[in-house]
Amino acid sequence: MNQTLPGAARIAGLEVYVPPGRLGTGQLEQQLAAASPGFRVPKGLIGRVTGIRTRSVMGATEQASDLAAIAAAKLLADRGLQPADVDLLLFASASQDMVEPATGHMVAAKLGMGCPVMDIKNACNSLLNGLEVADALIGAGRYRRVLLVSGESPSRAVRWSVPDQETFAASFPGYTMSDAGCALVLEPADADDDSGSRVLGTGFTAKSSHWSVGTLATGGSVAPRDPEATYFNMDGEKLKDAFLDLGRGILDETLVRLGLTWSDFAVVCVHQVSAPYRDIFARGAGVPQEKLVRTVEEYGNMASVSLPLQLKVAQDLGRCGPGDLVALVGLAGGVSLGIAVVRL
């Protein structure tokens, strides 16, 4: 389902919170080796395959809701907004504090908010889907100001004790993961200014037959109490094949519909699971390398926070600003592909 009318919302503010705890790839391999006495961890392999040098790790007492709340509190303060100024809070993340209730309630409670909340979940595309939902709800006149937040805590699902090569391979994607939080404020776009700040369009597609190639099975009806289900279990090669099976059609269709090409964008933010695959995907999608914002090397795979992180980095570096076009391109397990085109 693709949006066909110009978006009704604009991104009025963005903040990203990166926990101060850092874990270098060398340290990660040492920690993995220490916890896996019966398995020899190939030295340097993780860095060579992923291109990741370091990643962020949340504190032992922090939760996914804390990461989102910290980013949101700073954003609201910077915007001069009070909790009562927010009409709806959306928590859009692959992570959660617990299965029930919705993590949005924890975030709202920590921020002192009394507005409605809901969770949106679609793996690493959760934030991108949340952007589409917020835009649609504002366009429908249901809410005027929406706080869209994410808190990603994948470090809690990384397997450290590895008995054999097969388990190491299935757990490997977890060693790319990084913790972070983000917050966006969305408000109505100026209806009288077609060239003003707004979400210009979105497009999404999915090939759900590939859902089983990457899972974190704990917490649902399948494996409610199985300790083994609390770790990432992914087939990296099959996951790449699944993403390739999605093709680039939805990206091309969305750009054609909006009368744009990649050269029209100041930056193109692409979800980054590793440095090599980011570049492979960009080439396959026709995205010029100079439009990319390279973050995975120093920040790791931040799941749904990956796209807002790239946008924030690009803004801080002066690579994009008010009036510029940016594209947010998301890839997620399940599998799905999506794009949001935004004028800042």
Side-chain angles (χ1 to χ4, degrees), residues 42 45 78 92-93 114 148 156 204 218 266 274 340:
L45 176 67
D78 289 347
S93 177
L148 173 61
R156 298 283 166 85
F204 292 90
T218 188
S274 72

Side-chain angles (χ1 to χ4, degrees), residues 248-284:
R248 56 180 280 181
I250 193 62
L251 306 180
D252 295 339
E253 292 165 18
T254 303
L255 294 181
V256 168
R257 173 162 47 86
L258 296 173
L260 298 171
T261 67
W262 294 123
S263 62
D264 294 313
F265 294 93
V267 295
V268 178
C269 303
V270 175
H271 177 58
Q272 299 176 24
V273 298
S274 72
Y277 188 71
R278 172 198 58 212
D279 297 335
I280 291 171
F281 176 82
R283 285 195 296 271

Side-chain angles (χ1 to χ4, degrees), residues 13 26 60 64 66 71 77 94 103 111 124-125 130 148 164 169 178 211 264 275 303 314 336:
D66 291 313
T103 303
L111 294 171
C124 296
N125 271 344
L148 173 61
D164 51 43
S178 193
W211 71 266
D264 294 313
S336 67

Side-chain angles (χ1 to χ4, degrees), residues 3-342:
Q3 181 179 304
T4 58
L5 297 175
R10 68 185 183 94
I11 297 177
L14 165 66
E15 187 56 64
V16 175
Y17 171 65
V18 179
R22 308 297 295 171
L23 181 64
T25 297
Q27 295 172 291
L28 183 150
E29 290 185 345
Q30 292 174 7
Q31 186 172 326
L32 188 58
S36 309
F39 175 71
R40 180 179 175 275
V41 180
K43 187 175 181 180
L45 176 67
I46 295 174
R48 290 194 301 272
V49 171
T50 69
I52 297 172
R53 292 184 283 271
T54 185
R55 61 210 34 80
S56 57
V57 181
M58 62 199 291
T61 61
E62 284 185 309
Q63 307 301 330
S65 60
D66 291 313
L67 305 181
I70 291 170
K74 185 176 188 307
L75 177 58
L76 294 176
D78 289 347
R79 294 276 303 160
L81 296 173
Q82 300 299 316
D85 295 324
V86 175
D87 302 315
L88 172 70
L89 184 147
L90 300 178
F91 180 81
S93 177
S95 303
Q96 58 191 13
D97 282 16
M98 56 185 69
V99 173
E100 186 73 17
T103 303
H105 288 293
M106 288 79 152
V107 179
K110 289 170 182 177
L111 294 171
M113 291 180 172
C115 63
V117 309
M118 70 174 81
D119 283 9
I120 296 171
K121 180 178 287 292
N122 184 21
C124 296
N125 271 344
S126 298
L127 195 284
L128 200 60
N129 288 127
L131 181 64
E132 182 184 39
V133 170
D135 179 49
L137 289 172
I138 289 174
R142 293 288 293 121
Y143 302 96
R144 183 168 181 81
R145 181 176 289 118
V146 176
L147 180 62
L148 173 61
V149 302
S150 180
E152 293 290 11
S153 55
S155 67
R156 298 283 166 85
V158 174
R159 184 191 294 271
W160 293 107
S161 180
V162 176
D164 51 43
Q165 178 62 37
E166 182 180 1
T167 305
F168 176 68
S171 307
F172 192 88
Y175 306 128
T176 71
M177 303 302 292
S178 193
D179 301 329
C182 73
L184 292 83
V185 168
L186 289 111
E187 298 175 350
D190 187 346
D192 297 324
D193 183 7
D194 290 338
S195 63
S197 172
R198 66 178 62 242
V199 178
L200 290 175
T202 58
F204 292 90
T205 189
K207 288 286 185 73
S208 299
S209 58
H210 296 296
W211 71 266
S212 63
V213 300
T215 63
L216 180 55
T218 188
S221 60
V222 171
R225 297 171 187 85
D226 183 358
E228 286 296 303
T230 63
Y231 302 113
F232 289 110
N233 191 321
M234 303 183 189
D235 187 318
E237 288 304 313
K238 287 185 178 180
L239 191 60
K240 289 179 182 178
D241 291 341
F243 286 147
L244 290 173
D245 190 33
L246 286 168
R248 56 180 280 181
I250 193 62
L251 306 180
D252 295 339
E253 292 165 18
T254 303
L255 294 181
V256 168
R257 173 162 47 86
L258 296 173
L260 298 171
T261 67
W262 294 123
S263 62
D264 294 313
F265 294 93
V267 295
V268 178
C269 303
V270 175
H271 177 58
Q272 299 176 24
V273 298
S274 72
Y277 188 71
R278 172 198 58 212
D279 297 335
I280 291 171
F281 176 82
R283 285 195 296 271
V287 178
Q289 292 288 315
E290 66 272 14
K291 300 290 184 180
L292 298 174
V293 184
R294 292 173 171 80
T295 56
V296 73
E297 290 88 343
E298 297 301 324
Y299 290 95
N301 175 4
M302 289 183 167
S304 69
V305 180
S306 172
L307 295 179
L309 169 74
Q310 292 172 55
L311 182 54
K312 184 68 165 60
V313 167
Q315 289 176 325
D316 290 347
L317 292 175
R319 292 185 57 187
C320 62
D324 284 334
L325 290 175
V326 298
L328 308 176
V329 180
L331 289 160
V335 292
S336 67
L337 172 66
I339 180 173
V341 175
V342 178

